[in-house]
Structures are given as C-alpha cells and as structure tokens.
C-alpha cells in the first residue's frame, strides 16, 4: 500500500524488468533488427550475446564506466559531451 518506491540501494539504476537501461538496449536492438530482417532467431542470439558481453564489461565497475571509457578512447564528437575539455588535455591552466 506504499505510494512511493524507495530503492534498496542509494545508487540503484533505473530498470526495465530485470535489466538496466543499457543492458535492455543491448538486448532489444539486435532483436528488433532481427525482426526487421526476418531473422528472429539470429536477432535473439545476438541480443543475448550483446547483453552477456555488456554484463561482463561492466562487472565490478560503475554503471557509467562505458561512458567514461568512450570519453577517453573515442573522438570528441562521438560521446556528445560538450561541457568537458578534450581528453588529451591532461593539465588545466587556471
């Protein structure tokens, strides 16, 4: 009868069913592409493979670890972060 859901942990991420948002996207996008190309079983297989790979990549790390890795290793325009300096600038003047 409680109107408000209180997360069990302070930093509990949003979930869709059993999966966090990024895990759900890794599972759903290949599945949808498989449906559109009429290869549903291949889409399901790649979806679970993507979900499993993402779970292994995030194991024991923060939920935003992949975004941080993308910031350091991808070109500046790919992450969409505009308010931060480029990653190659290690020392800031000021």
């Amino acid at each position: 009868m409680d109107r408000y859901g209180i997360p069990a942990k302070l930093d509990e991420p949003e979930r869709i069913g059993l999966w966090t948002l990024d895990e759900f996207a890794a599972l759903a996008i290949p599945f949808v592409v498989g449906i559109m190309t009429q290869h549903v079983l291949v889409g399901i297989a790649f979806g679970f493979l993507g979900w499993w790979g993402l779970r292994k990549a995030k194991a024991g790390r923060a939920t935003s670890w992949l975004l941080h890795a993308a910031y350091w290793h991808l070109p500046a325009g790919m992450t969409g972060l505009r308010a931060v300096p480029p990653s190659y600038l290690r020392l800031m003047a000021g």
Side-chain angles (χ1 to χ4, degrees), residues 23-41:
E23 291 172 354
F24 183 76
L27 188 67
I29 291 171
F31 177 67
V32 170
V33 171
I35 289 174
M36 291 171 41
T37 60
Q38 298 180 353
H39 291 84
V40 177
L41 294 177

Side-chain angles (χ1 to χ4, degrees), residues 24-72:
F24 183 76
L27 188 67
I29 291 171
F31 177 67
V32 170
V33 171
I35 289 174
M36 291 171 41
T37 60
Q38 298 180 353
H39 291 84
V40 177
L41 294 177
V42 174
I44 290 171
F46 277 116
F48 276 107
L49 186 65
W51 168 75
W52 180 79
L54 185 62
R55 287 286 292 229
K56 291 296 181 185
K58 288 183 0 178
R61 296 184 177 109
T63 56
S64 59
W65 176 80
L66 290 175
L67 180 62
H68 297 163
Y71 169 72
W72 284 106

